[in-house]
Amino acid sequence: MSSLLHITNGDAFTERLSTLKLKGDVITWREMLCEGKTLTNVGSENFWKTRFEFLNKNYKVSKSWFIEKTLKEYRSLCNHKQQDHIVLWFEYDLFCQINMLAVLSWLKANRKYAEVSLVCSGNEDDSDRLFGLNELDDEKLLDLYENRTILTQDDIEYADYVWQLYCSDNPIRLENLRDFKDYQFDYLSDAVASHLHRFPSIKNGLNEMENKILSLAVETKPTSKKTFISTLLKNQGGLGFGDSQYDRAISRLKPLFSSFNPVRLTKTGKEILDNQTSYYSCIQDNDVYLGGALKYNFLYNTDTDRILKL
């Protein structure tokens, strides 16, 4: 077995990585831990049971698909015990950063001896634009690889600590973190901020992403749902979500739309967007988790940028 192991953020980049002809085996981390309930003990039976229940209920993921795509790959990771150098390939966005924390938590518990390094794409030129790994050319990817960040034990301990807080039932502890700059994770602070903005606003009961969905419906006047989702993906900032996640979010807001072809809001939808009324009591669901916290047990105060516990 090679002494080098690459862990990637998804199938698309795994395919791309194979063209770079780098040494080492490759494992794909197939999860979306930014959505649904998460448990601290990554890889345990309870952890995977909880994840399957969420994915099955909300994304119709079948047991056979979950075993074939996620669990088989995870078992392959467990079987790669000889590698003394592990390279993580992740991106700047919330989706990737939460997965990265989980992987680092697992590595801390299960691969104490390995040197862990990180290739993380994001701010790659003089513009304000942030780049995903697949948006970079081969030369840039190889440059990032050659200059990858060797994580210290302190970095790994910190990532594990942030993961524990993400999985706790109270996001206020995560909100109080102030020492991101002391560790080698350039995009983690912004990702945590994006996460906290996913709790419902005190003003209208919708979170930042849900408010953006309504405002883009009004501003861009999409002619179809497909065009609408495409617009949302282009304007999502640091979330890193896919079309299926936006499709699900729109479904939860469906009563606020009078039509999807073209996309139009109802009178109530416009009033909620203008903070004239709240949708909290209608959208509230006691089974929606963000990490370890129940989404509707907390409100986000947009005036003070602080989380409130109900």
Side-chain angles (χ1 to χ4, degrees):
M1 261 191 185
S2 160
S3 65
L4 184 63
L5 177 68
H6 302 272
I7 302 177
T8 74
N9 66 337
D11 290 290
F13 186 69
T14 294
E15 208 171 296
R16 177 74 187 283
L17 190 60
S18 67
T19 68
L20 296 179
K21 304 284 191 283
L22 294 175
K23 288 179 184 169
D25 294 341
V26 182
I27 296 287
T28 309
W29 185 257
R30 292 194 185 106
E31 248 292 7
M32 45 182 285
L33 298 168
C34 58
E35 281 207 3
K37 190 173 185 180
T38 58
L39 304 180
T40 54
N41 50 345
V42 180
S44 67
E45 193 177 331
N46 256 355
F47 176 86
W48 290 125
K49 181 172 179 285
T50 301
R51 293 307 301 162
F52 171 68
E53 284 169 359
F54 166 75
L55 293 166
N56 176 254
K57 180 184 172 187
N58 295 282
Y59 289 99
K60 306 292 181 274
V61 169
S62 67
K63 187 168 263 189
S64 58
W65 191 99
F66 189 70
I67 289 168
E68 187 62 34
K69 294 292 185 181
T70 300
L71 291 187
K72 267 195 179 177
E73 199 72 354
Y74 171 69
R75 286 180 193 133
S76 178
L77 172 61
C78 294
N79 291 334
H80 280 77
K81 295 175 181 171
Q82 309 307 318
Q83 283 79 357
D84 49 20
H85 191 166
I86 298 168
V87 184
L88 308 184
W89 296 81
F90 285 92
E91 297 172 9
Y92 64 88
D93 55 63
L94 174 72
F95 190 110
C96 260
Q97 292 287 299
I98 298 301
N99 282 343
M100 177 193 78
L101 292 177
V103 172
L104 284 167
S105 179
W106 186 87
L107 290 172
K108 174 182 174 277
N110 297 282
R111 295 292 181 270
K112 290 181 167 66
Y113 54 82
E115 178 184 270
V116 180
S117 59
L118 174 64
V119 180
C120 189
S121 70
N123 192 353
E124 305 304 337
D125 61 18
D126 295 334
S127 71
D128 290 334
R129 191 181 159 206
L130 295 169
F131 291 83
L133 289 166
N134 268 329
E135 294 178 292
L136 304 174
D137 63 26
D138 289 0
E139 188 183 355
K140 183 64 185 173
L141 284 174
L142 290 169
D143 182 54
L144 285 177
Y145 177 67
E146 288 304 319
N147 296 292
R148 60 195 180 275
T149 303
I150 309 291
L151 298 178
T152 67
Q153 189 57 37
D154 282 351
D155 292 326
I156 294 167
E157 297 269 356
Y158 186 68
D160 176 58
Y161 176 60
V162 179
W163 171 250
Q164 307 295 321
L165 294 187
Y166 179 77
C167 296
S168 80
D169 61 3
N170 190 344
I172 293 170
R173 296 167 65 203
L174 198 54
E175 179 183 59
N176 289 331
L177 280 179
R178 291 287 179 271
D179 53 354
F180 294 104
K181 64 184 183 308
D182 298 336
Y183 302 91
Q184 300 186 86
F185 302 108
D186 294 344
Y187 306 102
L188 189 53
S189 174
D190 287 346
V192 167
S194 292
H195 166 61
L196 295 172
H197 281 104
R198 295 192 296 161
F199 289 92
S201 157
I202 199 167
K203 290 185 173 172
N204 66 5
L206 299 184
N207 66 18
E208 186 175 78
M209 172 181 153
E210 290 156 349
N211 275 299
K212 189 102 178 244
I213 289 171
L214 297 191
S215 65
L216 283 170
V218 171
E219 289 163 22
T220 65
K221 298 181 174 56
T223 52
S224 67
K225 192 175 179 184
K226 188 180 175 185
T227 314
F228 188 30
I229 289 178
S230 177
T231 302
L232 293 171
L233 291 171
K234 283 185 197 131
N235 292 278
Q236 64 174 315
L239 293 175
F241 286 179
D243 49 5
S244 60
Q245 288 171 289
Y246 271 103
D247 195 46
R248 177 171 170 253
I250 291 168
S251 295
R252 285 169 56 76
L253 299 171
K254 197 174 179 183
L256 303 182
F257 289 88
S258 57
S259 157
F260 283 114
N261 194 20
V263 177
R264 296 283 182 270
L265 293 188
T266 62
K267 181 172 177 284
T268 304
K270 288 173 184 170
E271 286 171 356
I272 287 164
L273 181 58
D274 292 337
N275 299 325
Q276 291 171 21
T277 185
S278 176
Y279 198 53
Y280 181 85
S281 60
C282 302
I283 200 171
Q284 182 190 11
D285 183 336
N286 292 327
D287 194 35
V288 177
Y289 281 85
L290 296 173
L294 282 163
K295 177 177 177 180
Y296 294 100
N297 278 3
F298 300 88
L299 288 175
Y300 192 85
N301 186 338
T302 45
D303 292 331
T304 60
D305 285 333
R306 300 293 289 178
I307 296 270
L308 305 169
K309 188 173 190 329
L310 288 176

